[in-house]
Structures are given as C-alpha cells and as structure tokens.
Amino acid sequence: MEIIHVSAECYPVAKAGGLGDVVGALPKYQSDNGHIAKVVMPMYRTKFLYNHQWELVHEGEQLLGQQPFRYAVIREKTNELGFDLYLVDINGLLDREKVYGYDDDTERFLAFQIAVCDWLSKWQHLPDIVHCHDHHAALIPFLMKYGYAFSARLAGIPTVFTIHNAQYQGWIGWDKQHLLPAFDNWKWGMLDWDNTINPLACAIKCATRVTTVSPSYMEELRYAANGLENLMQYEAGKSVGILNGIDADVWDPQKDGLIVKNYDDHLVKEGKRRNKKELCGHFGLDEDKPLIVFIGRLVGEKAADILPEAIRNSVYQHRGAASFLVLGSGDSVVENQLEEVKHNMHGYVNTYIGYNETLSHLMYAGADFLLMPSRVEPCGLNQMYALRYGTVPMVRSTGGLKDTVKDFGEWQGYGIRFNHATVPDITHSVGRAIDLYSNKRDLYNWMRSYMMNIDHSWDASAEEYTRLYESIKNS
Ligand code: ADP
Ligand code: GLC
C-alpha cells in the first residue's frame, strides 16, 4: 500500500513533542513491512534541511484568499530516514526556525494544506491512504472531498485522521473563511463546531476513520474532549484507539550514542550507575540517593504547574531522601518557580530550562524514576522510553499512561501509579519510590529487567494501522 502521512512535525527533521517522534517512526516500520510510506511536512529552517540534499519534485501556485502564493515540494535524496520525506516550501510563510508559535500560524498551516492537496491532485497515480495528524493537517480530508479544485481527483481516497491531542483544535474564526479555497457551500456545516471553523472537529466528521493514540484516550474523549464529547460519541463507530509505539532503534540503551555507558537488562545496574554518576556530577546531585526526573513541556496538561510545590513538599516530607532533576520549557511562571526551588534546595533539586535532546537521553538512562503527573496524556512516549531504559515510571492513571504502566502493587507490576494530579498524591508516590529504592532492592532489580523486556516497539501497532487501512482501502 502507498500511504501519505501529513504532519507538522517529523523527527529528526523538526520535533516539538511526541507527534514528531510518532511521525518519524511509524512510516519507517511501514516501509520495513513492505509498504510505500511517505511523509509530507512544511519546510522549516532546520539544521536537517541544511545538512541534507534535496531534489525538486513539484512546483505550483495556489491562492490563500485573494493572495496568490507559489510553493515547491522537495524530496530528500538519500531516503536515509527509511521512508520518502517531502517538504513543502512556501516562501515567507513556512520557512521559519520554529514549528509553531507565530501570529500567522493559521495562514501558514492553511497554505500548507492547500499546497499538499494541490500537489496530490497533480500526481499521475493516487496513493491508497492519506493519513493526517492533528489539527495542522485536519482540513485535508474536507478539502479532498469538497474543495472544488481537488475533489474530482481526490474525493475517493480514504483518509485516516489521528488525534494526538484534542486540547488543541486549531480554531479559525468564520471571518477568515475567505482564506479557504472554494468548496461546496452545502457542506459548510462540516467545518463548523460551536460557530467556529474547527479543523479538529472537521476531520473527525470528514475522515474515513479516526484514531487516537491510545485506547483509554479514545474512551476519555467521549466524556472530556474540550467541547467535542458529543461528536466523539456520534462518530464512535468509525473511531479506534491504537497505542503508539516507540522507535526501538533510536531509543535503545544498548546502542544509544547519546549516553555515557550502553547497557542491556543484564548490565542495567552498572550501566545506569555510570550514566547517573555523569548526570549527578553535572547537576550537583547526590548519586547515592534515588534520582527522580521530569522531562516535558511545562504546561497545565502535564501538571507542570504543581511540579515546583510537589518537589518542594517531597524534599521536606521525605527529608531530602531523593534528588530531583527537571528538563523542560513552557509556561514562564512555572519556569521561574522551578528556578526558585532549585535555588532554595541546592544539592537536592536541579533544572535545565530549555529543550535538549541529548540530555533527555542521558536522563532516561541515568535516572531511577521518571515522574509524569499529567492531567491529560493521550499516549505519552516518555514512560515507554523510561521502561526501555530500566527507569521506573511514576504516572497518574490517565490515557496512555494507564495503558502502558502497571503499579508494582499488582501482579507483575513494574511502575508507580497514582490517581490525582495533586501535591499529596505526588508526595506519596515519591515516598513509595524511596521505599522501593532503599528497602525493596530485589523487587526493584526484578522490575528493572522486566520492564526493559516489554516490547513497546511499533511492530504491533503498525500492524493495527495496516489492518485499519486494509479495511477502508477499497471501500
Ligand atoms: P508531548 O508530545 O505531549 O509533549 P510525549 O510524551 O508524547 O509528550 O513526547 C514528548 C517527547 O518530547 C519525548 O520524546 C520527550 O523526550 C521530548 N521532550 C519533551 N520536552 C523535552 C525537552 N525539554 N528536551 C528534550 N526533549 C524533550
Ligand atoms: C501528543 C500527546 C502525547 C502523545 C503524542 C504522540 O503530543 O500529548 O501524549 O504521546 O502526541 O502521539
């Protein structure tokens, strides 16, 4: 089958979070399984762009409202990612350093989606499946079906839409309707949700199939979906939750070139000790104490707002028996509060405010526990990376965290789970972590090697996507 993934992110080209990891890995597994998997994404000004060779495959012109724009599609020449990578270049709109965060993001991603549809409609043959990810690619199923310029050629192609995060829906005021290419006006209701053009809702209505990135998240969205609960219930028949996998080549403690000492489940004790020594040495933390880390965006969904208080409280209540290291960026109030805790609890707490891929690998390898108190977690990849590196995940029971982590109090459990994103629940879990580390050493060692052998690679989930594609291919 030929599958086209459309996304705003793809690792290692451009990544802001887990979306990039998923779109950088799933197509690779699909290619390995004999499919033709292609990824098309915006051409940002990233290091990857300048370090690789490109060939021009298409040039075109389209309108964004009254404004004509030219676009080019370039292809990475060597296929080094294991799938075909295409970038859409739109001068002045997409070629920026960051992926998101600009005032004209609406215009940028609209133009991107229009260009993708235009390009696809010019192909000699047609792909079997167009697979769109999150709201930046969410208008494509609508445009393919009802956009006058595209529907004649593209309306028959089945589309899959994956919701990685329903908190962000890409809302566009109806006053910007003129930016959309001409479409069948009888279908305006497909665009609308609560008197706003809602790309996420539109994709849920228009795509042939809808997926979420874990089964539990699919369930949760029927009751809490930032306003889309009724829609998720209505479209339940065509929706399914498929758990993300991890790229087992990139996230492999035996081969990872970004860590100090490689290890497998037999050498986990020594391997982690060496990585922890490096980490603790660098951040001034005591390597004999359990090291608890947090890696992620400092936003409300991840419960980062309670992190400073939870860490402070844990250090006091447990008398400094554990060390904490936080890697992340986001809300500046949280960033400042974390810096304050670091300042006041020197030797117990440290932080790295910013994005640092290399440090994240060393932290998965060197930490003893990884904390994820998320309020919302559609899947979460960090906990799966932690499992692979023998780092015990401490997670709130929600979404994908619920689907991937079993509490050590249960039969063959290997993680720590708690119910509420609150300071008391986190503090209590920190106590359990300290107890496990200090007093239940045999169990702790067993858990580490057990979790390292759990297969969270994409093999099984890529198969599930294939079955989904097969079921709609000739529909
Ligand atoms: P989300 O996509 O919601 O942010 P995920 O758990 O799916 O959460 O994926 C987060 C990804 O981003 C992981 O690969 C994690 O290691 C990475 N990451 C998040 N914040 C940082 C950071 N500050 N530095 C390096 N990597 C980060
Ligand atoms: C989103 C979600 C995260 C998920 C990732 C990849 O960013 O917040 O939970 O793991 O997408 O699907």
Side-chain angles (χ1 to χ4, degrees):
M1 259 185 294
E2 183 167 1
I3 307 134
I4 312 298
H5 292 274
V6 190
S7 169
E9 299 177 33
C10 173
Y11 178 82
V13 191
K15 161 175 164 183
L19 170 65
D21 286 349
V22 170
V23 179
L26 172 61
K28 193 154 71 175
Y29 278 72
Q30 292 176 329
S31 296
D32 288 348
N33 289 337
H35 301 294
I36 302 170
K38 301 182 168 173
V39 170
V40 52
M41 66 184 292
M43 191 200 89
Y44 311 109
R45 292 205 171 282
T46 61
K47 222 157 73 194
F48 190 94
L49 174 71
Y50 299 111
N51 291 345
H52 288 77
Q53 301 228 321
W54 305 89
E55 65 181 350
L56 180 68
V57 294
H58 182 76
E59 276 183 302
E61 187 170 310
Q62 270 292 321
L63 286 173
L64 184 66
Q66 301 295 317
Q67 197 64 42
F69 69 89
R70 291 197 63 75
Y71 71 91
V73 182
I74 56 176
R75 191 177 81 90
E76 201 273 323
K77 269 184 170 172
T78 61
N79 209 337
E80 90 166 23
L81 298 182
F83 51 81
D84 281 337
L85 172 71
Y86 296 88
L87 304 185
V88 176
D89 178 17
I90 305 178
N91 226 315
L93 269 185
L94 296 178
D95 53 344
R96 315 246 175 103
E97 273 171 27
K98 284 190 303 179
V99 177
Y100 319 109
Y102 299 99
D103 289 343
D104 58 351
D105 276 356
T106 296
E107 286 77 4
R108 298 173 71 221
F109 289 105
L110 256 178
F112 166 64
Q113 294 177 84
I114 294 168
V116 170
C117 289
D118 189 51
W119 173 51
L120 285 179
S121 71
K122 302 285 164 34
W123 283 27
Q124 302 276 326
H125 70 290
L126 291 173
D128 294 299
I129 301 283
V130 175
H131 188 155
C132 303
H133 299 264
D134 268 357
H135 74 84
H136 309 96
L139 289 172
I140 287 182
F142 175 86
L143 293 176
M144 287 170 61
K145 267 182 155 166
Y146 307 119
Y148 283 136
F150 316 123
S151 58
R153 191 96 174 97
L154 305 181
I157 307 174
T159 50
V160 173
F161 180 68
T162 296
I163 305 173
H164 293 259
N165 197 331
Q167 296 297 107
Y168 308 96
Q169 300 176 2
W171 308 268
I172 304 172
W174 274 106
D175 56 325
K176 291 202 172 173
Q177 180 196 341
H178 63 281
L179 295 177
L180 290 171
F183 59 89
D184 178 352
N185 270 316
W186 288 100
K187 302 294 178 194
W188 73 270
M190 291 291 188
L191 292 167
D192 187 77
W193 194 259
D194 268 347
N195 302 321
T196 305
I197 298 176
N198 184 321
L200 200 86
C202 177
I204 296 167
K205 296 180 205 177
C206 295
T208 319
R209 289 286 186 274
V210 174
T211 70
T212 56
V213 288
S214 72
S216 287
Y217 190 53
M218 180 61 85
E219 288 301 313
E220 287 170 11
L221 286 184
R222 292 178 186 149
Y223 305 98
N226 209 3
L228 303 185
E229 300 78 14
N230 290 344
L231 182 60
M232 290 307 291
Q233 284 171 26
Y234 184 76
E235 299 290 7
K238 67 173 188 190
S239 309
V240 59
I242 301 179
L243 191 68
N244 282 336
I246 62 171
D247 189 328
D249 290 331
V250 175
W251 299 96
D252 180 358
Q254 282 189 69
K255 295 195 303 218
D256 192 331
L258 301 176
I259 64 179
V260 173
K261 170 91 183 149
N262 291 112
Y263 59 95
D264 60 10
D265 58 328
H266 300 294
L267 300 174
V268 54
K269 208 166 157 196
E270 174 59 12
K272 285 189 80 67
R273 197 186 64 75
R274 290 276 300 277
N275 288 299
K276 184 176 178 184
K277 190 177 168 64
E278 175 75 16
L279 208 51
C280 289
H282 189 82
F283 286 97
L285 301 170
D286 183 345
E287 62 184 276
D288 293 327
K289 292 180 185 169
L291 174 62
I292 302 176
V293 302
F294 173 97
I295 300 171
R297 296 179 291 122
L298 299 175
V299 296
E301 271 170 71
K302 306 279 178 195
D305 48 312
I306 58 167
L307 200 58
E309 184 52 29
I311 292 177
R312 190 185 300 121
N313 201 51
S314 295
V315 174
Y316 278 131
Q317 287 228 356
H318 302 296
R319 298 194 178 80
S323 313
F324 292 85
L325 179 60
V326 176
L327 164 63
S329 62
D331 186 338
S332 56
V333 174
V334 178
E335 290 181 357
N336 292 336
Q337 287 174 348
L338 282 169
E339 290 300 56
E340 206 181 302
V341 178
K342 158 181 165 174
H343 184 75
N344 294 336
M345 300 193 144
H346 188 74
Y348 296 96
V349 181
N350 211 332
T351 60
Y352 180 106
I353 302 298
Y355 190 93
N356 189 327
E357 191 80 25
T358 307
L359 176 58
S360 76
H361 282 247
L362 189 62
M363 286 171 70
Y364 290 117
D368 301 301
F369 298 89
L370 175 94
L371 176 63
M372 292 181 80
S374 311
R375 291 196 178 89
V376 180
E377 197 60 82
C379 178
L381 299 171
N382 298 13
Q383 81 281 11
M384 293 196 266
Y385 300 148
L387 292 172
R388 189 101 207 276
Y389 284 71
T391 303
V392 179
M394 299 166 63
V395 305
R396 185 173 99 78
S397 296
T398 185
L401 299 176
K402 209 155 83 182
D403 294 343
T404 49
V405 178
K406 206 168 160 187
D407 190 88
F408 75 89
E410 291 174 46
W411 169 245
Q412 296 204 320
Y414 44 81
I416 294 178
R417 270 172 55 165
F418 50 96
N419 288 326
H420 306 107
T422 57
V423 171
D425 265 29
I426 297 175
T427 309
H428 180 251
S429 299
V430 169
R432 290 184 74 205
I434 295 170
D435 183 45
L436 187 62
Y437 183 89
S438 319
N439 306 323
K440 300 189 169 80
R441 209 60 206 188
D442 287 348
L443 173 62
Y444 179 65
N445 288 337
W446 172 85
M447 278 164 61
R448 283 207 299 209
S449 28
Y450 182 84
M451 71 176 79
M452 288 181 76
N453 286 303
I454 300 175
D455 183 6
H456 275 300
S457 76
W458 268 102
D459 287 323
S461 303
E463 260 302 303
E464 269 195 73
Y465 275 111
T466 304
R467 281 197 294 275
L468 182 76
Y469 299 153
E470 291 287 0
S471 72
I472 54 176
K473 199 174 98 177
N474 301 313
S475 57

